């Protein structure tokens, strides 16, 4: 027998097996053939595997959306990943916002209150952007990759073995059907007893192969419990990464709030509120956040209260200059950052200004550039 004859016979045997399975499957659907049912334990394992695969895919996809909301960016990353190439580095949204704020602050002038505040906010946004990158990278390695490995690896193996088990079951049930028909024909003396014996032997072989494949599939499916345990550890890593990220962001914003909190409330307010209204701090669910916010609110209230008292009295106070200021005309006093001057109010003066004195020099100074000293 040459190789060509062997291949032809193998193809014929495979075609015969495929046809037998197709006939058995069709007759089962039509209710014309019996079907061997899997045991309850194996059915439960199969159901658990399908459920695990379904929810793992949903969690994985939604996590990707959470970490990268831009669908175009996700598609680009997917393409580069499939091409085994590194995606080009681009600014994320917080970094881009931060850069815009810094550029605007430099354009308006770092020495102005608004420009300086924009620069500080921009630097904080860029730090948040860096923390965002670290969250994405850590989550991808410790959380998304293990989930993807299960979908593309373990579950594909389970699906392959499950399909093989289905084929072995069809072979078994087809053999049982042939044996049943052979026995009916034998009773009618239509075939020899050898045909029944041959069918019985075929049933024993297919039963053995089915049982062996069922055991292999069962062992693979029982590994789902280990998969759940592994995914639980990955979930803890993801939660820890998020906790680190939000803690960093909170600390960055807390530091920024403290820096901006040194400005009088007339500068911080976006509405036409009186200078006696303190800027309310952002509340936080944690005890530390609440305490810090309260301290910032108290600090702002003290500054605002001090200015109000100064305006309502005829006395003077010392004040530290926060930023450089160039006088616009002869009625104003130029200032240098960190110098200490004497300030006081005079009747009829605009609420955003005080009179400032430095030695023999005096003139109007903007409140937003000052920090009253005790």
């Amino acid at each position: 027998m040459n190789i060509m004859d062997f291949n032809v016979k193998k193809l014929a045997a495979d075609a015969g097996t495929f046809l037998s399975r197709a006939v058995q499957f069709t007759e089962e659907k039509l209710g014309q053939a019996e079907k061997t049912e899997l045991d309850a334990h194996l059915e439960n394992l199969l159901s658990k595997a399908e459920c695990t695969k379904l929810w793992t895919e949903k969690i994985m996809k939604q996590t990707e959306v959470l970490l990268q909301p831009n669908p175009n960016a996700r598609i680009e990353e997917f393409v580069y990943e499939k091409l085994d190439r590194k995606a080009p580095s681009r600014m994320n949204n917080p970094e881009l916002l931060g850069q815009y704020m810094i550029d605007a602050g430099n354009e308006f002038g770092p020495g102005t209150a608004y420009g300086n505040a924009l620069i500080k906010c921009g630097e904080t946004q860029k730090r948040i952007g860096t923390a965002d990158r670290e969250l994405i990278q850590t989550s991808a390695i410790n959380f998304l990759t293990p989930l993807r490995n299960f979908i593309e690896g373990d579950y594909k193996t389970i699906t392959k073995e499950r399909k093989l088990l289905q084929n072995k079951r069809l072979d078994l049930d087809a053999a049982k059907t042939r044996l049943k028909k052979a026995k009916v024909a034998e009773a009618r003396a239509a075939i020899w007893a050898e045909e029944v014996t041959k069918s019985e032997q075929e049933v024993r072989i297919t039963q053995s192969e089915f049982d062996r494949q069922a055991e292999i599939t069962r062992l693979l499916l029982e590994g789902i419990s280990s998969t759940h345990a592994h995914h639980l550890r990955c979930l803890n890593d993801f939660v820890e990464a998020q906790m680190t990220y939000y803690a960093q962001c909170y600390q960055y914003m807390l530091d920024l709030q403290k820096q901006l909190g040194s400005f009088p409330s007339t500068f911080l307010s976006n509405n036409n509120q009186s200078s006696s209204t303190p800027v309310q701090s952002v509340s936080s669910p944690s005890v530390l956040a609440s305490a810090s916010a309260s301290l910032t609110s108290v600090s702002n209230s003290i500054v605002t209260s001090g200015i109000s008292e100064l305006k309502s009295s005829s006395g003077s106070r010392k004040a530290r200059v926060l930023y450089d200021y160039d006088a616009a005309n002869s009625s104003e006093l130029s200032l240098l950052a960190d110098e200490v001057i004497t300030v006081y109010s005079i009747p009829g003066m605009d609420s955003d200004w005080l009179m400032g004195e430095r030695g023999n020099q005096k003139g109007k100074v903007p409140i937003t550039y000052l920090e009253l000293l005790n």
Side-chain angles (χ1 to χ4, degrees):
M1 181 186 299
N2 56 36
I3 296 177
M4 183 175 293
D5 292 338
F6 175 80
N7 289 337
V8 170
K9 287 187 176 182
K10 186 176 185 302
L11 288 173
D14 290 344
T17 301
F18 176 80
L19 180 60
S20 174
R21 290 170 180 169
V23 171
Q24 178 64 29
F25 182 80
T26 302
E27 290 181 349
E28 288 175 0
K29 291 297 182 181
L30 296 175
Q32 298 175 357
E34 296 181 358
K35 175 182 176 181
T36 299
E37 300 293 341
L38 303 177
D39 64 80
H41 177 60
L42 189 56
E43 288 284 5
N44 288 336
L45 290 176
L46 287 169
S47 177
K48 184 177 181 180
E50 290 178 354
C51 184
T52 301
K53 183 251 186 185
L54 173 65
W55 286 109
T56 298
E57 282 183 331
K58 289 186 176 182
I59 292 172
M60 183 176 68
K61 290 179 180 178
Q62 193 57 40
T63 302
E64 291 173 344
V65 172
L66 173 68
L67 297 176
Q68 177 51 271
N70 188 336
N72 293 329
R74 291 200 304 274
I75 293 174
E76 182 185 55
E77 291 172 359
F78 175 79
V79 171
Y80 276 100
E81 181 181 351
K82 291 301 179 183
L83 296 176
D84 197 21
R85 295 173 58 187
K86 185 177 180 181
S89 178
R90 293 188 176 89
M91 281 188 174
N92 55 30
N93 289 332
E95 289 173 330
L96 195 58
L97 174 60
Q99 190 60 52
Y100 287 163
M101 287 183 169
I102 291 174
D103 292 344
N106 288 326
E107 184 75 17
F108 296 146
T112 66
Y114 184 41
N116 187 274
L118 277 173
I119 292 174
K120 291 182 183 297
C121 290
E123 291 171 347
T124 299
Q125 290 296 332
K126 296 190 79 169
R127 284 196 290 268
I128 290 175
T130 301
D132 189 64
R133 288 183 182 275
E134 293 173 354
L135 171 64
I136 293 175
Q137 182 179 12
T138 303
S139 300
I141 295 173
N142 297 336
F143 188 59
L144 288 177
T145 298
L147 299 187
R148 188 175 291 108
N149 289 341
F150 168 73
I151 297 297
E152 298 178 356
D154 295 349
Y155 192 78
K156 280 190 175 181
T157 302
I158 290 174
T159 301
K160 177 183 176 182
E161 296 299 332
R162 181 179 180 180
K163 183 177 180 181
L164 189 55
L165 176 63
Q166 170 75 350
N167 290 336
K168 295 299 182 183
R169 186 198 63 75
L170 289 172
D171 291 342
L172 172 60
D173 289 336
K176 288 180 178 180
T177 300
R178 286 191 292 271
L179 175 59
K180 185 177 180 181
K181 291 179 180 179
K183 287 184 176 181
V184 171
E186 180 188 34
R188 296 175 181 175
I191 62 172
W192 297 99
E194 287 79 1
E195 291 295 327
V196 176
T197 303
K198 181 180 178 181
S199 296
E200 289 175 343
Q201 183 179 6
E202 184 184 12
V203 169
R204 286 194 297 270
I205 293 173
T206 53
Q207 181 71 59
S208 175
E209 291 178 349
F210 171 76
D211 291 341
R212 183 167 61 85
Q213 185 60 37
E215 181 64 17
I216 293 173
T217 306
R218 182 185 63 81
L219 291 175
L220 280 173
L221 292 171
E222 287 178 345
I224 291 294
S225 297
S226 298
T227 298
H228 284 191
H230 178 51
H231 287 182
L232 174 59
R233 292 191 294 271
C234 296
L235 180 61
N236 287 332
D237 291 340
F238 179 55
V239 171
E240 184 175 348
Q242 282 188 304
M243 180 185 69
T244 300
Y245 168 73
Y246 289 119
Q248 286 178 325
C249 292
Y250 170 73
Q251 187 60 50
Y252 293 153
M253 298 309 297
L254 184 63
D255 293 342
L256 176 63
Q257 186 188 39
K258 289 179 179 178
Q259 294 179 54
L260 298 182
S262 64
F263 299 156
S265 60
T266 51
F267 167 69
L268 290 175
S269 175
N270 289 326
N271 301 319
N272 295 325
Q273 301 172 347
S274 67
S275 62
S276 61
T277 304
V279 176
Q280 295 182 353
S281 300
V282 179
S283 62
S284 173
S286 67
V287 175
L288 288 176
S290 298
S292 177
S294 298
L295 288 174
T296 305
S297 179
V298 170
S299 175
N300 291 337
S301 299
I302 292 174
V303 172
T304 306
S305 176
I307 293 175
S308 299
E309 292 176 1
L310 183 60
K311 283 183 171 293
S312 62
S313 67
S314 58
S316 62
R317 292 276 296 276
K318 293 292 185 180
R320 183 174 67 87
V321 178
L322 298 174
Y323 316 104
D324 292 345
Y325 176 74
D326 294 328
N329 52 57
S330 59
S331 66
E332 298 178 5
L333 179 66
S334 296
L335 303 173
L336 295 175
D338 294 326
E339 71 172 328
V340 177
I341 63 173
T342 301
V343 294
Y344 56 91
S345 179
I346 58 177
M349 177 169 282
D350 189 280
S351 60
D352 292 334
W353 297 80
L354 288 173
M355 287 299 295
E357 285 189 1
R358 183 201 308 112
N360 295 327
Q361 297 177 320
K362 66 178 180 178
K364 294 192 301 181
V365 293
I367 291 175
T368 55
Y369 282 65
L370 304 174
E371 177 186 13
L372 293 182
L373 302 177
N374 293 329

